[in-house]
Amino acid sequence: MSETRILFGFHAVLSRMRQHGSSIQEIIIDQDRVDARMRDLLEMAKSQNIRVIQSERNRLDGFIGAHGRHQGVIARVVETPMPYKDIHDILESDLDEPPFFLILDGVQDPHNLGACLRVADAMGVHAIIAPKDRSVGLNGTVRKVASGAAETVPFISVTNLARTMRELKEAGVFVVGTTMDAPSELHTTKLEGPIALVMGAEGDGLRRLTQETCDALITIPMFGSVQSMNVSVASGIALYEIRRQRVLGNSQK
């Protein structure tokens, strides 16, 4: 069953037009914004016969709150449910490579989650998994920061993260977590085959039970003076290494 959502910001709206323009019911724009970026958006909307409504800025503010950064553009879209509802749908689907998951334990900042969705999309992750009680969920800010990735990467919320991790392990998925004091380093660890990378939030990191449920723990070596990274940056580094090893492994077959 489909539902109507609000997307806001140029990246999110333009990405939706490029990927699935027919899902956009209408676009509401700030009538006072007449710059080149807005003209490009209007031209694309016209080419796809998407209805555009000009409005005062305070009406746009009312859709998402006065502090939301809509940049003068909001779209009403009809969301079609993702084909994957849980991990078993993905594990049992006809993938063209071994399953590849990103698990986020405790990421509650919408900007971080949106950025994680972007890097997950870029690295070909099949789904992001997060606990229902320790995740911000896919709100408007997440979708804006994700710049379209929220519509391409399945986001699966689970009630019990440790149980889900055990189910992945039983299905043959190697579950590897990242901690600062892990005994093995990212670039020296074999990360091929079905895999789930587990990342924690800044500060708290992975919860104890999450760590204990992992098959292995690795660390991302730091060569500068800063001792921690934003979770989306760290996810990007680790996901890239996994993708690099997959590409390298395939080229050597």
Side-chain angles (χ1 to χ4, degrees):
M1 183 176 180
S2 60
E3 59 179 297
T4 301
R5 291 184 182 272
I6 295 293
L7 290 182
F8 57 90
F10 277 95
H11 279 303
V13 175
L14 284 169
S15 179
R16 174 53 69 99
M17 277 200 284
R18 294 189 187 101
Q19 295 173 5
H20 193 20
S22 62
S23 69
I24 300 179
Q25 293 181 321
E26 63 185 16
I27 295 175
I28 305 171
I29 65 169
D30 181 352
Q31 63 188 13
D32 296 323
R33 181 158 184 174
V34 293
D35 54 88
R37 198 175 190 188
M38 183 63 79
R39 288 196 297 271
D40 290 342
L41 183 144
L42 292 175
E43 184 175 332
M44 184 180 294
K46 182 179 180 180
S47 70
Q48 297 189 30
N49 296 315
I50 298 173
R51 180 189 182 197
V52 177
I53 300 173
Q54 295 189 353
S55 182
E56 296 179 351
R57 184 178 182 85
N58 59 7
R59 186 186 174 199
L60 274 72
D61 293 341
F63 280 105
I64 61 173
H67 300 291
R69 298 183 61 186
H70 52 66
Q71 300 173 305
V73 57
I74 288 175
R76 293 183 192 270
V77 302
V78 177
E79 289 287 8
T80 302
M82 283 281 187
Y84 302 131
K85 296 180 180 180
D86 57 38
I87 61 168
H88 301 289
D89 289 336
I90 297 176
L91 292 171
E92 295 168 7
S93 63
D94 187 20
L95 300 175
D96 57 4
E97 66 173 351
F100 188 10
F101 297 98
L102 173 61
I103 299 175
L104 300 176
D105 183 25
V107 176
Q108 301 181 41
D109 181 86
H111 294 88
N112 282 337
L113 179 54
C116 284
L117 280 159
R118 291 184 71 174
V119 298
D121 176 85
M123 292 299 106
V125 169
H126 296 125
I128 289 181
I129 301 168
K132 289 181 178 179
D133 61 345
R134 287 175 59 85
S135 173
V136 64
L138 295 182
N139 61 27
T141 300
V142 172
R143 292 177 183 274
K144 177 177 181 292
V145 175
S147 299
E151 284 70 57
T152 59
V153 180
F155 181 80
I156 300 174
S157 294
V158 297
T159 303
N160 188 313
L161 185 61
R163 182 172 62 207
T164 299
M165 291 168 63
R166 287 192 290 268
E167 290 176 354
L168 287 171
K169 292 166 65 174
E170 290 171 1
V173 177
F174 182 60
V175 179
V176 56
T178 56
T179 64
M180 293 183 64
D181 56 354
S184 302
E185 295 187 341
L186 170 67
H187 60 282
T188 60
T189 304
K190 185 176 181 180
L191 300 169
E192 299 175 357
I195 194 165
L197 174 70
V198 192
M199 305 293 298
E202 303 94 330
D204 295 337
L206 298 181
R207 290 177 291 176
R208 179 185 58 81
L209 181 57
T210 303
Q211 290 190 41
E212 293 175 351
T213 310
C214 290
D215 288 309
L217 296 174
I218 59 174
T219 186
I220 300 174
M222 307 286 285
F223 301 98
S225 58
V226 177
Q227 295 302 307
S228 64
M229 289 180 289
N230 179 284
V231 63
S232 62
V233 174
S235 295
I237 293 171
L239 292 174
Y240 181 83
E241 174 60 19
I242 295 171
R243 177 56 63 187
R244 186 193 70 82
Q245 291 191 26
R246 286 194 170 196
V247 172
L248 185 62
N250 289 332
S251 67
Q252 295 176 345
K253 289 181 180 179

